[in-house]
Amino acid sequence: MGKQMTEMLKGTLEGIVLALLAEQPAYGYEITTRIRDHGFTDIAEGTIYALLVRIEQKNLVDVEKVPSEKGPPRKVYTLNAQGQQELEEFWKTWDFLAQHIAQLNKTDTDNTSTTPNKEN
């Protein structure tokens, strides 16, 4: 993954995780697997665990310890009402950014020169 992709993901990864938790509760490794299944194959597991700590501290999720067949209990994360509001805000922001960036991209591809059009 290129540096630019990594930087862009830093700002959106929380929203991605919240969106996955809106679909269904999950534990850390399961979230990492689901993110990778959506094409984000270079996301490190440690990145997800650090993010889960942050969203738990921000009270965006409820956490339940569930017994595991192997090892210690797993922390299962469930999106709560505050997390749902945060996710809705994320999608509004994403839609705004995507629309305006697409307009910039369309403008760039419509113009054959790199200088702005000037009316005489």
Side-chain angles (χ1 to χ4, degrees), residues 29-46:
Y29 181 75
E30 184 178 22
I31 294 167
T32 302
T33 300
R34 289 171 58 197
I35 286 174
R36 289 178 179 160
D37 288 347
H38 279 84
F40 302 103
T41 56
D42 292 338
I43 301 284
E45 206 171 311

Side-chain angles (χ1 to χ4, degrees), residues 6-74:
T6 301
E7 291 300 315
M8 287 183 172
L9 276 175
K10 282 182 185 179
T12 59
L13 195 54
E14 181 177 300
I16 292 168
V17 169
L18 294 177
L20 291 174
L21 292 175
E23 292 174 355
Q24 70 182 52
Y27 58 92
Y29 181 75
E30 184 178 22
I31 294 167
T32 302
T33 300
R34 289 171 58 197
I35 286 174
R36 289 178 179 160
D37 288 347
H38 279 84
F40 302 103
T41 56
D42 292 338
I43 301 284
E45 206 171 311
T47 301
I48 300 303
Y49 284 106
L51 185 134
L52 289 171
V53 168
R54 286 194 307 274
I55 66 174
E56 183 178 357
Q57 289 172 343
K58 291 167 67 174
N59 296 315
L60 303 178
V61 292
D62 295 326
V63 180
E64 179 183 358
K65 289 192 177 186
V66 176
S68 172
E69 292 177 12
K70 300 177 184 177
R74 292 180 173 155

Side-chain angles (χ1 to χ4, degrees), residues 66-106:
V66 176
S68 172
E69 292 177 12
K70 300 177 184 177
R74 292 180 173 155
K75 290 175 88 173
V76 175
Y77 298 86
T78 303
L79 195 66
N80 61 26
Q82 189 172 338
Q84 184 63 44
Q85 288 178 330
E86 186 76 12
L87 178 59
E88 289 169 12
E89 186 63 32
F90 170 79
W91 285 128
K92 287 178 190 174
T93 303
W94 179 264
D95 289 342
F96 174 86
L97 289 172
Q99 178 184 5
H100 288 83
I101 289 170
Q103 288 173 356
L104 288 170
N105 188 30
K106 183 178 183 320

